[in-house]
Amino acid sequence: MGLRIRYRDADIVVVDKPGGLLAVPGRGPDKLDSVVSRVRTLLPECIEQPAVHRLDMDTSGLMVLGLTRAAHAHLSRQFAERRVEKRYLAQLNGTVAGEGGEIALRFRLDPENRPHQVYDPVQGKLGISRWRQLESQQGRTLVVFTPLTGRTHQLRLHASHPLGLGCPIVGDRLYGTGRPGEQLLLHSALLCFEHPATGQWLVFSSRPVFSTAGLPAWEAG
């Protein structure tokens, strides 16, 4: 089905989503193809809406889906209570000052320019991310992001905004200088959660195609 299945049992499936594929179906026949529609074709016994979280269409990497109502509800609670650990690797267009830190910005949807998000310190919803620089060469910086909240386009905004890192993610057409057809270099590289049926703590990691370096030693917590 064009999906790399990383794990599968009766309750969940973990996939490595390619960039350019929707996480869930959109509106219109041209937006039906998605991770969810492909999983439902592969596993027709799963519930109608198995997705418990989403990645932007242009973002690649790890996603977990709940195949039963009980598994979906359990995973959804873990995400809502921020018990799921996530790390993203991003290649930024520019040189970042500093080795790491935390970014906290309020932003909201720009209704005149959907789906673009804009900084709004008064009416915006707070998005918080930690970041750490991994390497910098040839005018680009590889960073690892740890999102503490899950706002729309959060990491893309935290990378590009002057109050964040001031360096957009390579290939970002909304907040940077990406061109049509160019791959967004943002990848869901680590996903850790409790199995909804067994209680086992599961850890999945994935290396993006845009980085030849080995995966970093993920810090705990």
Side-chain angles (χ1 to χ4, degrees), residues 20-56:
L21 178 67
L22 289 167
V24 300
R27 295 181 179 178
D30 59 326
K31 294 182 175 63
L32 292 179
D33 188 26
S34 65
V35 171
V36 164
S37 60
R38 293 186 187 189
V39 166
R40 291 192 65 204
T41 298
L42 180 67
L43 304 169
E45 69 277 11
C46 83
I47 59 175
E48 183 176 357
Q49 177 50 280
V52 294
H53 67 124
R54 302 184 185 187
L55 298 177
D56 289 346

Side-chain angles (χ1 to χ4, degrees), residues 131-149:
W131 68 279
R132 179 163 56 92
Q133 183 176 165
L134 299 178
E135 63 181 20
S136 181
Q137 57 184 353
Q138 299 180 339
R140 291 186 175 184
T141 305
L142 182 68
V143 301
V144 54
F145 280 114
T146 303
L148 303 184
T149 56

Side-chain angles (χ1 to χ4, degrees), residues 7 37 62-63 73 89 103 119 149 155 157 164 176 191 193 204 217:
Y7 178 86
S37 60
L62 296 166
M63 276 186 66
L89 291 177
I103 302 167
Y119 174 64
T149 56
L155 300 182
L157 279 158
L191 184 63
F193 57 91
F204 297 93

Side-chain angles (χ1 to χ4, degrees), residues 4 6 16 60-62 89 187-190 205-216 218:
R4 184 185 177 196
R6 296 295 306 274
D16 221 330
S60 57
L62 296 166
L89 291 177
H187 185 80
S188 172
L190 182 77
S205 62
S206 169
R207 188 175 71 182
V209 296
F210 58 80
S211 175
T212 57
L215 289 172
W218 306 110

